[in-house]
Amino acid sequence: LAGVLGALAMIVTMNRYQHALTNYGFSQGDIGKAMTVFTDVRSATRGIIGYTDQDLVDGLIATHDEKKQAFIEYWETVGETLVSEKEQQLYDQVNEQIQQYWDLDQEAIDTGKVQIAEKRAQAQDLMQNQVAPLYNDIYDTMRELMNENVREGDALSNTLNIMGFIFLLIIVGVIVLSILIATRMGHSISQGIATPLDALAKRLETFA
């Protein structure tokens, strides 16, 4: 019985651990990577509208597109590991804002990538007054999603620790109970054998 309980405890713990690893451990990494490349996208945009060297601008445009695509892929992966309603709300909130951000970001790039100082100044103004506040809102929401994910992961970790302790107590209890029952049964069986033998010995003595 203790062996069966131990096996069940291992199965349950392994299942919950895999759940925690996928939906919290890996998920936190994906959220972090999405936040990092999102920052890289903004940095590339700033360089595009700030630098005047065309080769440098072209390189930053390529970097911008690469980081943007990486963000989209990471963010889709994050969406596959959402667990709670709160996480889903934060994820949907980012999705509601991100397309507007991409549109404004692209508008700033299209305006400021040309070799015209006035256009670059216009793009920088757009970046400062519209893109930056939206970026901050989105980034703060992603950070809140990360914090929520961490809180839920910590709660699950505590639950796993409690479950392990409870299973250990149950298994130890079953073993102790088994020893007590076995001892009592052994005593009862031994008495069942010894008593008739004692009686037989007395009868044989009387017979002798």
Side-chain angles (χ1 to χ4, degrees):
L1 182 59
V4 170
L5 288 174
L8 289 175
M10 289 182 61
I11 292 173
V12 172
T13 303
M14 289 172 60
N15 178 268
R16 300 307 298 169
Y17 176 77
Q18 184 62 39
H19 173 79
L21 194 62
T22 301
N23 295 295
Y24 298 107
F26 295 155
S27 177
Q28 289 169 23
D30 291 330
I31 296 172
K33 287 185 287 188
M35 294 171 70
T36 299
V37 294
F38 189 55
T39 301
D40 292 339
V41 170
R42 183 183 65 163
S43 298
T45 303
R46 285 178 168 178
I48 292 169
I49 66 177
Y51 292 120
T52 57
D53 184 273
Q54 191 58 48
D55 291 337
L56 185 56
V57 170
D58 291 340
L60 286 171
I61 290 175
T63 299
H64 172 277
D65 294 341
E66 177 185 344
K67 298 297 183 180
K68 178 181 177 180
Q69 183 59 38
F71 172 84
I72 292 172
E73 293 173 0
Y74 288 141
W75 196 242
E76 287 178 352
T77 303
V78 170
E80 296 171 359
T81 57
L82 300 175
V83 177
S84 69
E85 182 178 349
K86 177 66 173 178
E87 287 184 326
Q88 187 64 56
Q89 289 175 353
L90 294 170
Y91 185 80
D92 292 340
Q93 185 176 336
V94 172
N95 288 338
E96 291 173 1
Q97 295 176 306
I98 196 66
Q99 188 55 52
Q100 181 185 0
Y101 178 85
W102 295 138
D103 292 341
L104 290 173
D105 179 69
Q106 191 60 48
E107 182 181 348
I109 292 174
D110 293 339
T111 304
K113 67 181 179 179
V114 298
Q115 299 300 320
I116 302 174
E118 182 181 349
K119 288 290 187 179
R120 288 203 306 273
Q122 182 180 346
Q124 292 167 8
D125 182 70
L126 174 63
M127 194 74 183
Q128 179 67 29
N129 296 323
Q130 296 187 51
V131 179
L134 186 56
Y135 168 88
N136 291 332
D137 288 343
I138 295 174
Y139 193 86
D140 289 343
T141 303
M142 288 192 289
R143 182 167 53 193
E144 188 177 351
L145 176 61
M146 170 70 86
N147 292 336
E148 180 68 20
N149 196 273
V150 170
R151 282 193 295 270
E152 293 176 0
D154 290 343
L156 180 57
S157 176
N158 293 333
T159 300
L160 285 173
N161 290 334
I162 294 172
M163 286 174 57
F165 183 72
I166 291 174
F167 274 120
L168 179 61
L169 288 179
I170 292 174
I171 292 172
V172 171
V174 168
I175 292 174
V176 171
L177 182 62
S178 299
I179 292 173
L180 294 175
I181 292 175
T183 301
R184 188 170 183 177
M185 289 177 63
H187 179 72
S188 175
I189 292 172
S190 66
Q191 287 295 107
I193 296 173
T195 300
L197 286 177
D198 288 340
L200 177 60
K202 290 177 181 179
R203 293 294 294 173
L204 288 174
E205 288 174 359
T206 302
F207 180 74

